[in-house]
Structures are given as C-alpha cells and as structure tokens.
Amino acid sequence: MPAPLVGRKFGVSTIPVPDRETCREIRVLGLSGSSRYEPGMSKSEKLLQRALARFEGYGCTTQFIRLKDLKIYECEGNYSENPSYCTYPCQSSMKYEDDQMQDVYDAVLACDVLILATPIRWNNHSALVQKFVERMNAIENQYSWFGNPMIRDKVAGLIIIGHVDGVQHVAGNLMNFFAWLGFHMPEVAIASWVGENDEDTTKDWAQIESNKYTQEDLEDLVSSSLRLACALKRHGAEETGRSK
C-alpha cells in the first residue's frame, strides 16, 4: 500500500552549529539583489536580514550590501575580445571613477560565507544580480585564464523568493555560477518561498513568516553554512601548518 501523501517531513534533522568561539572567526556577507527602493520593502531582503541576525547570534561578523544602493556599471564584455583583457582590478572599475563594484569585490574576497538574496523575475534572478554575476567575471577569469584562484575556502548560499514557479531554475543558475568561481555549497544551500497562483502579493510576508518549511530552511542554511565555513577554515589552517 503506498504511503499517504502528507508532504515534506518537518524537523527531520537538526544541523548542529560549531561552538561560538569557532564561529567568531567567520565573516558573513549578505548581498541583496532586490530592486525595491525602500529598505524593508523586499521580502527576500527581509529574510536575508533575518539570516544575518542569526549568524550574528552565533558570534559571526556580518556585512550587508544592497546592490541597488551602489553605482555599478555593466560588464563590457572585454573577455569576448580577448580573455587577457578581462582583468582584476576590473577594467570598468578603472575606467569609471564613480563605479562602486570594487566595494563588492572587496567584501566578497574578505568574507567566509556569502548569502545572496534575490527575487524571481520572469523565472530568473533579478537584473541587479545578473549585473553582479557578469562583473564577477573579473574574479573568475583570474583563475580560468591567469591561473590565479582568488576564491578559496568560501561558502555560498541562496535566498530566493517569488510568486511564480522558478526557484530550482534560479538556484541552478546561481549555484553553477558560484561553483565556477570556486565557492563551496553547504548541505542546505537554499532557503526559498514561492507564492500561490492568485498573484496577491499583499499577503506574501505573512505567509512566508508562517511557513515552517521556509523558516526551517533559513535556519538550516545558516547552520550548514557555518559548519562548512568552520571546517574549511580549519582545513586551511592545517594546510598552512603542514606547508611550514
């Protein structure tokens, strides 16, 4: 007799978090890819802020960046002309004095854990996130063309919120992107929520807050990211010790 369709199991596994002293060494960057002008309007950003608060509760240092607040020029595709033209520092950062992408580069390179939050826009991540992705070519190309890997022992996780189907598509694209950069993915890499077909976005936040699965995923995203980041940092320290 087939098992009854009761939905996903809740609370099946609890991911333990390393001790607070270990977590104090972890630096977490939260990147918001929402295009909402006013802070607090974006649901994906609200969940990101909640995740950062939980990281802080475990003793981590956090940094929050709204891509919307920065002047970031588009990638000009120098790689397409010649891979050696796609450099770090990025050509656009050097070309435009008011370009602020270097602030993002610095934050990414300094963090141990990066949590990227995005809404779903027509079955894809936001245009702001796409601009970030393309400008990160300067980092990725340092490894693929110049043999200089700039991303080592870092963890990436995602928060994806939308009102139409598309979480897996967005997650697949972004996880592929982070993998090419050299990031590691935790066992629970995604916290997400997708609204109903009625398109009534006015009730979304209440439903997100009451959705026990989304809240569990958010907690597990934080916990598993911390576990992996601490393990990678410990492994890096051991490798450094052996090389001396």
Side-chain angles (χ1 to χ4, degrees), residues 1-51:
M1 180 177 179
L5 298 176
V6 294
R8 167 183 155 184
K9 299 293 185 183
F10 176 73
V12 172
S13 63
T14 300
I15 300 174
V17 177
D19 63 88
R20 187 179 180 86
E21 192 60 33
T22 303
C23 292
R24 284 170 61 88
E25 302 177 4
I26 302 301
R27 296 160 296 182
V28 182
L29 171 63
L31 282 182
S32 172
S34 171
S35 59
R36 304 303 296 271
Y37 280 91
E38 295 296 328
M41 293 179 67
S42 164
K43 294 177 280 288
S44 60
E45 190 171 296
K46 284 182 180 180
L47 279 186
L48 176 59
Q49 293 281 21
R50 184 168 293 179

Side-chain angles (χ1 to χ4, degrees), residues 26 112-113 152-156 182-186 224-240:
I26 302 301
D112 299 299
V113 177
R152 292 181 182 273
D153 298 337
K154 297 183 186 297
V155 177
F183 280 86
H184 298 266
M185 304 295 166
S224 60
S225 295
L226 270 177
R227 278 173 56 83
L228 180 54
C230 289
L232 290 169
K233 187 172 283 288
R234 183 171 60 250
H235 177 265
E238 292 172 353
E239 288 292 307
T240 300

Side-chain angles (χ1 to χ4, degrees), residues 119-172:
I120 298 173
R121 295 285 188 260
W122 288 102
N123 210 42
N124 285 290
H125 49 255
S126 71
L128 283 170
V129 169
Q130 183 61 26
K131 186 183 290 186
F132 161 74
V133 166
E134 293 182 12
R135 287 295 301 274
M136 287 295 288
N137 284 349
I139 299 292
E140 189 278 330
N141 199 47
Q142 280 294 302
Y143 177 50
S144 61
W145 186 257
F146 294 102
N148 173 34
M150 299 182 70
I151 302 296
R152 292 181 182 273
D153 298 337
K154 297 183 186 297
V155 177
L158 303 170
I159 293 174
I160 304 170
I161 300 296
H163 220 267
V164 291
D165 196 13
V167 168
Q168 291 183 342
H169 176 72
V170 173

